[in-house]
Amino acid sequence: MSIDDTAGTGADRPADSAADSPFRHERTARDEAPQFVLPLVVRIEKAAPPTRTDALEAAARAVLVMLADERSTGEGEWAQAMRDWQDARIRKVVRRARGGEWRKASQLPGVTISSPDVAEAAADVAAEAPAEVAVFAPYAEVRVFPPVPLDGWPKELAKLQVSGTDLDDPGAPPAADLSGPVLWLSPGLAMSAGKAMAQAGHGAQLAWWELSETERKTWQEAGFPLSVRTPDATRWRQLTSSGLPLVRDAGFTEIAPGSSTVVADHPALRR
């Protein structure tokens, strides 16, 4: 299974029929539907930006939290927007914010993903800091918002920059915990951190779609643990032929259409 920045039919799982598959790369009826985008904003303070790997993992968890949120399903307040988004191309756009921009974005409906320890420490500092002082933590903080029309972003988000999300890791991240989910990034593609965050989100969404309700609940109750790592070329070839969910980018930005970007490796999906 793969995803070409397209989605299902508004249900929790994509359609099974080949003619109506959300994973066809060529132009389909989904391109004629109103287009929506899932906005994600990563907090990047000048003095202490997050590491690249932390940002990618936070973005993937943010997508999962949005998919699992009770407001996103049934008759929830975000459910119609989620259905509209999943009836068209699956688009995710990552923007960056700091200081007052971040505070304004945080006032819009959505969910912020961060380390519990970081959130507690930030709250303690904020209680004593002047309002104009930016409170930040080096761990990634990502806020995800309900889908919006492609050309209808809230002004607080529309003015945020897409560029400038070139984050780095201070060293090689530790080996992935193979007992848990791993989102494997293609070693052959150069992507900005923002682009890679969106791709990691696609991979997490594919894994979510493929899991049973019980498996989803277990993952959610554990806090959506996952790793984002880049394998070597040999391992990447094995992964792309393993039958695990595979993201193929639609080519809207940065990379060529059809490029394989992420393999979603969840223990429950391994054959």
Side-chain angles (χ1 to χ4, degrees), residues 45-263:
E45 301 288 351
K46 285 185 177 180
T51 67
R52 181 183 175 95
T53 294
D54 278 345
L56 268 58
E57 291 176 351
R61 288 197 303 274
V63 171
L64 291 166
V65 167
M66 177 57 71
L67 289 167
D69 196 293
E70 61 182 12
R71 291 167 290 185
S72 296
T73 61
E75 300 302 318
E77 60 187 285
W78 301 339
Q80 186 59 55
M82 292 292 286
R83 286 190 288 268
D84 290 341
W85 173 57
Q86 293 182 87
D87 279 345
R89 288 270 182 175
I90 288 290
R91 297 175 186 247
K92 301 179 180 74
V93 173
V94 178
R95 297 177 183 260
R96 61 181 173 87
R98 64 172 180 263
E101 295 173 333
W102 174 260
R103 289 192 292 273
K104 289 179 182 178
S106 297
Q107 293 173 1
L108 297 177
V111 183
T112 297
I113 305 304
S114 64
S115 161
D117 293 340
V118 167
E120 182 178 348
D124 290 342
V125 175
E128 301 178 2
E132 66 273 12
V133 175
V135 178
F136 60 87
Y139 187 91
E141 291 182 84
V142 174
R143 188 164 180 83
V144 60
F145 305 86
V148 298
L150 192 60
D151 57 356
W153 286 66
K155 64 180 186 300
E156 295 89 347
L157 303 183
K159 65 183 181 181
L160 300 179
Q161 296 295 311
V162 176
S163 61
T165 55
D166 293 325
L167 304 172
D168 297 312
D169 284 320
D177 178 6
L178 299 182
S179 67
V182 185
L183 303 174
W184 298 101
L185 294 177
S186 169
L189 295 174
M191 293 184 282
S192 68
K195 178 70 172 181
M197 289 170 69
Q199 298 301 308
H202 289 336
Q205 186 167 1
L206 272 185
W208 176 261
W209 276 346
E210 285 292 284
L211 295 174
S212 68
E213 289 298 328
T214 299
E215 291 161 346
R216 291 179 183 179
K217 189 67 173 178
T218 298
W219 198 11
Q220 180 182 7
E221 290 178 346
F224 291 122
L226 56 84
S227 303
V228 178
R229 296 292 186 271
T230 302
D232 61 31
T234 299
R235 177 63 176 143
W236 175 250
R237 287 194 295 271
Q238 295 170 343
L239 287 163
T240 56
S241 60
S242 66
L244 289 167
L246 174 67
V247 178
R248 294 186 186 276
D249 190 62
F252 294 128
T253 60
E254 293 194 24
I255 57 179
S259 298
S260 298
T261 60
V262 180
V263 171

